[in-house]
Amino acid sequence: MQPQIPLTRDLVLIGGGHSHALVLRKWAMRPLPGVRLTVINPGPTAPYSGMLPGHIAGHYRQDELEIDLVRLARFAGARLIDGRAVALDPQAKTVTVEGHGVIEYDVASLDIGITTELPQMRGFTDHAIGAKPLDVYAARWRDFLAEAEAKGEAGPVTVIGGGVAGVELAMAMAFALRKAIGKAKVTLIEARDNLTGTGADTRDRLMRALEANDVTLWTGADIAEFTAEGPRLRTGQVIPSALTIGAAGALPQPWLQDTGLPLTDGFVNVGATLLVEGHDDLFAVGDCAHMTHAPRPKAGVYAVRAAPVLHDNLRAVLTGHSLRPYHPQKDYLKLISLGEKSALAEKYGRPWSGPWLWRWKDRIDRKFMSMFHDLPAMDAPAAPTIAALGVAEELGDGQPVCAGCGSKVGPGALSDVLASLPQVDRVDVLTGAGDDAATLDIGGVKQVLTTDHLRAFTEDPALMARITAIHALGDVWSMGAAPQAVLTNVILPRMNDTLQRRTLAEIMRAAGEVFRDAGAEIVGGHSTLGGELTIGFTVTGLAEAPIQQSGGQPGDVLILTRPLGSGTILAAEMQGKANGRDVMRMLQVMAQPQAKAAEILRGAHAMTDVTGFGLAGHLMAICKASGTGAEIALDSLLFYNGALDLAEAGVRSTLYDANFAHAPLVNATGPRGILLHDPQTAGGLLAAVAADQADGLMAKLHEMGIPAARIGHLTDGAPVISCI
């Protein structure tokens, strides 16, 4: 048996820019044993700036210009932290992530790009947006264009900045508006006396292209402030604008000023090896870096060419080997979009233009993105040629065992074992195995007691701890109890003492916040090293009259407080088939506490939380305990984005078959019926409430922003669940 390689070094990539994306892809092909790789990025995707004008013009879908960092991180064996870096301490070797906390590193690299926001200019934050971050601008533009199509008209659009980016975006928006409503009013404002960033011949061609696209060019226009009506010039004239986009140059991320790093005009100084000057454990690449040995303009081509050198030098620092230099080319080919499917090229000041250049640019861009959209399949471990009877059947198609609640023992096996337990006649144990939590009578006070643990489905231990805490609290909330005390159990993968401390600190900080907000206190626990990260919590709560599964009555309305489909999406994410945006949206929902929902539903006749055995299994538990049947309206169910499509495509959690066998349904057809058996992690509360109270409860839930749905009702008769 191969020994488990201990983790001994933390490598943190701050930002999901082009260089880091390429490093991740290369790392996946040859990971370095002993290194825990972390990526920090504000969002699950990283847009490719070269295709942004084409997207704005309508030539590309959003997904065609996005690098899915969730898939890429899974491919590289990295943990992805969804958050914006807001501070870095190079002495303590920490980076602070907004909404997440402090992450420690041994070696780190900055690839956080630039911003085109102008917060220092009066009114910009309220009346304009920057072209970068790209996803914010692209989303705002899609809304603006959709509104224009609906109304048949659009207000004027203004772009600030006459460099290549501003010119491209102005023509792209003008083209899209003409295509959508037949006309466009776009103005490009430049403070200097002419367009910037190109040679004279190219500039002349661009000015003709702007005129052909009906873009009005203002040069020598100094903006005094941004107003609701549009930018106001120093002359007092207001340029009317319903949408104002800032594309005036490359501005550094402002928080770099507080890091103590060596900067030039706000950009991080790096030498030939891409190490930050004066530091042997911190790199910087892409637009956020200033190459002191070879200053170059801000352009993606340099980030792409730097990636192999960065990859090799990261490995060299982590293994104690020599670093190699990066020698950037002196000039590069500029391919400038002209709104329609036409482009202009320039190198060494010489321009070319025409539709053939668009086709060339399109091929280059698509080839680059194909490296991330078409990730090579990694070979699964080979099955043994000789094994005991039954091994092949258990391995099935080789799908890895799901994590989260998808890794639970099947409901049939569990219920059979629980039924065989000896019953002890104790007056202080009011209910034992079978309900969401045991109910104890401690000196006349009713206390509920439950335990739960999860195999990690994300490499982010803080997020995993938060979701596991909420998952464990679900049993207490579903019984109408107030959380009281918590014991923690953590299994860490093999790692050195430093990484143990870092990981436990992240876990306990995140879990502590959840339990503290719920009114509970962590009072102790246990930890050990093992094969993989597993987090568990034992929770107690207090309740005057605990809500049990046995209180349901025929006619009760069934309310579910969360969407379904987490097990299928998690299974798909493990297989590299899930959309990263869908995964992150789902994790954000799972990480939200359910205390408010539990408080609103405290008068329910019966309640449970929907977890590993799926909606069907947990509803069946209520039906059996209450002596009722149930009817579910399939069209009323809510699902996480992407879950229905994945179920339709045949993606299943490894617990699906056991759940299906344990709680058969009548008329459960299509992907909606399939997902009734999907194991949920940190799933919603399922409440059976009096029919005359349902509308009022639903109104209160929606007022609190809880995505609850009225999904059916309990019926007379045998414990059978029918779907309509």
Side-chain angles (χ1 to χ4, degrees):
M1 179 180 293
Q2 291 290 332
Q4 184 184 7
I5 303 298
L7 298 172
T8 61
R9 291 293 183 274
D10 269 320
L11 169 59
V12 178
L13 304 182
I14 307 166
H18 303 349
S19 295
H20 282 175
L22 288 165
V23 166
L24 282 168
R25 192 181 188 282
K26 198 172 180 67
W27 191 277
M29 305 302 180
R30 191 164 64 98
L32 182 60
V35 174
R36 177 167 63 179
L37 179 57
T38 299
V39 189
I40 300 169
N41 192 70
T45 64
Y48 172 48
S49 56
M51 295 173 75
L52 176 65
H55 173 60
I56 296 300
H59 307 318
Y60 300 117
R61 301 186 312 272
Q62 181 178 355
D63 63 313
E64 291 181 290
L65 73 147
E66 287 187 326
I67 299 171
D68 189 330
L69 293 177
V70 175
R71 288 187 64 229
L72 187 58
R74 169 69 70 176
F75 181 62
R79 62 169 174 163
L80 174 63
I81 295 177
D82 182 10
R84 186 180 301 278
V86 293
L88 184 142
D89 185 338
Q91 305 307 319
K93 299 206 286 191
T94 63
V95 56
T96 302
V97 182
E98 189 174 42
H100 190 285
V102 172
I103 302 296
E104 299 183 56
Y105 66 83
D106 295 293
V107 178
S109 177
L110 284 161
D111 188 11
I112 57 176
I114 57 174
T115 179
T116 55
E117 296 178 345
L118 303 168
Q120 75 279 9
M121 294 191 67
R122 187 167 55 190
F124 183 90
T125 302
D126 294 328
H127 305 299
I129 60 171
K132 291 188 178 183
L134 303 185
D135 54 346
V136 175
Y137 160 49
R140 178 69 181 90
W141 170 247
R142 286 192 297 271
D143 292 342
F144 184 87
L145 191 60
E147 184 178 348
E149 288 181 298
K151 292 181 177 179
E153 61 179 3
V157 175
T158 302
V159 179
I160 312 300
V164 170
V167 169
E168 284 189 301
L169 295 177
M171 288 190 285
M173 290 190 287
F175 175 82
L177 284 169
R178 288 198 309 275
K179 184 178 178 181
I181 60 176
K183 56 185 177 181
K185 187 174 182 180
V186 179
T187 300
L188 178 63
I189 299 178
E190 169 56 41
R192 299 182 189 179
D193 293 332
N194 222 322
L195 300 179
T196 63
T198 65
D201 290 344
T202 304
R203 184 167 60 242
D204 290 342
R205 293 199 188 193
L206 287 177
M207 291 179 71
R208 292 196 295 272
L210 287 168
E211 184 177 357
N213 277 277
D214 296 326
V215 176
T216 301
L217 174 62
W218 283 60
T219 58
D222 194 5
I223 298 174
E225 65 174 334
F226 293 88
T227 72
E229 291 74 33
R232 185 190 304 276
L233 305 183
R234 295 288 180 190
T235 62
Q237 184 173 0
V238 174
I239 309 298
S241 182
L243 176 65
T244 303
I245 306 299
L251 302 176
Q253 300 289 352
W255 62 267
L256 290 173
Q257 294 286 348
D258 301 322
T259 60
L261 297 176
L263 306 176
T264 296
D265 298 327
F267 300 100
V268 182
N269 292 343
V270 300
T273 62
L274 304 177
L275 275 170
V276 176
E277 290 183 344
H279 298 269
D280 59 6
D281 51 23
L282 181 63
F283 294 81
V285 287
D287 288 348
C288 73
H290 172 69
M291 295 181 286
T292 57
H293 68 293
R296 293 292 188 272
K298 303 303 180 186
V301 64
Y302 297 118
V304 171
R305 298 289 177 85
V309 177
L310 175 64
H311 170 268
D312 293 348
N313 287 350
L314 288 169
R315 294 179 69 94
V317 168
L318 288 161
T319 56
H321 289 81
S322 299
L323 282 67
R324 67 185 181 101
Y326 169 52
H327 300 296
Q329 62 205 74
K330 292 185 177 180
D331 196 11
Y332 65 99
L333 178 67
K334 298 181 182 73
L335 286 167
I336 305 169
S337 300
L338 302 178
E340 60 182 346
K341 290 186 177 181
S342 182
L344 184 151
E346 181 198 71
K347 190 171 185 180
Y348 297 118
R350 181 183 176 186
W352 305 268
S353 62
W356 66 275
L357 279 169
W358 166 265
R359 293 191 292 271
W360 187 23
K361 180 181 184 335
D362 180 60
R363 284 197 297 272
I364 292 172
D365 289 339
R366 290 186 183 275
K367 182 179 180 181
F368 177 77
M369 290 303 296
S370 70
M371 292 193 295
F372 306 104
H373 290 166
D374 304 321
L375 295 173
M378 305 300 281
D379 294 333
T385 55
I386 301 176
L389 295 174
V391 168
E393 290 77 6
E394 285 299 314
L395 289 175
D397 58 4
Q399 177 182 341
V401 175
C402 290
C405 258
S407 63
K408 278 190 172 183
V409 173
L414 181 61
S415 60
D416 289 347
V417 170
L418 290 176
S420 68
L421 291 176
Q423 301 299 310
V424 179
D425 187 16
R426 293 180 59 98
V427 295
D428 54 350
V429 179
L430 303 182
T431 62
D435 219 310
D436 290 287
T439 304
L440 311 178
D441 188 321
I442 309 296
V445 177
K446 292 185 175 61
Q447 183 184 59
V448 300
L449 172 65
T450 185
T451 190
D452 217 325
H453 73 267
L454 298 173
R455 289 179 60 229
F457 47 77
T458 172
E459 298 294 331
D460 180 356
L463 179 60
M464 191 66 220
R466 182 174 182 84
I467 292 175
T468 305
I470 289 166
H471 180 84
L473 283 165
D475 288 336
V476 175
W477 284 325
S478 68
M479 298 193 75
Q484 178 192 25
V486 182
L487 293 173
T488 303
N489 277 282
V490 178
I491 301 174
L492 297 178
R494 188 178 178 188
M495 55 182 64
N496 67 7
D497 182 73
T498 299
L499 267 68
Q500 289 176 33
R501 291 172 184 269
R502 291 174 182 171
T503 308
L504 284 174
E506 289 186 43
I507 289 171
M508 298 308 294
R509 182 172 63 239
E513 289 176 357
V514 172
F515 288 120
R516 185 167 56 251
D517 290 345
E521 181 179 355
I522 297 177
V523 296
H526 184 73
S527 62
T528 187
L529 297 179
E532 58 188 345
L533 177 63
T534 303
I535 303 175
F537 299 104
T538 298
V539 187
T540 66
L542 301 176
E544 292 183 7
I547 303 170
Q548 309 213 341
Q549 296 178 2
S550 58
Q553 301 173 19
D556 279 355
V557 170
L558 297 171
I559 293 176
L560 181 62
T561 63
R562 277 192 176 168
L564 300 171
S566 63
T568 293
I569 292 177
L570 290 176
E573 193 271 328
M574 290 181 67
Q575 300 170 40
K577 297 177 180 178
N579 177 281
R581 285 189 182 277
D582 294 341
V583 174
M584 279 302 179
R585 286 194 194 104
M586 178 191 71
L587 293 177
Q588 289 167 2
V589 173
M590 292 165 64
Q592 296 303 311
Q594 299 201 80
K596 293 178 181 177
E599 177 64 30
I600 292 170
L601 296 170
R602 187 159 288 181
H605 292 158
M607 189 153 62
T608 187
D609 60 331
V610 178
T611 54
F613 303 146
L615 175 60
H618 290 281
L619 177 54
M620 182 62 76
I622 287 180
C623 290
K624 288 181 176 179
S626 300
T628 68
E631 193 172 82
I632 295 176
L634 289 178
D635 288 343
S636 68
L637 297 170
L638 300 179
F639 299 93
Y640 287 111
N641 289 348
L644 288 170
D645 290 340
L646 291 168
E648 184 82 56
V651 176
R652 303 285 186 274
S653 167
T654 48
L655 190 58
Y656 172 83
D657 288 340
N659 283 354
F660 178 85
H662 184 69
L665 304 172
V666 178
N667 298 325
T669 58
R672 289 175 176 268
I674 289 169
L675 290 174
L676 292 175
H677 298 290
D678 188 50
Q680 305 303 289
T681 302
L685 299 176
L686 174 63
V689 304
D692 60 354
Q693 297 180 8
D695 290 343
L697 293 172
M698 287 293 296
K700 290 181 180 179
L701 289 166
H702 290 161
E703 285 174 10
M704 299 302 298
I706 297 167
R710 181 172 175 161
I711 67 168
H713 60 274
L714 297 182
T715 62
D716 283 314
V720 174
I721 301 174
S722 301
C723 300
I724 58 172

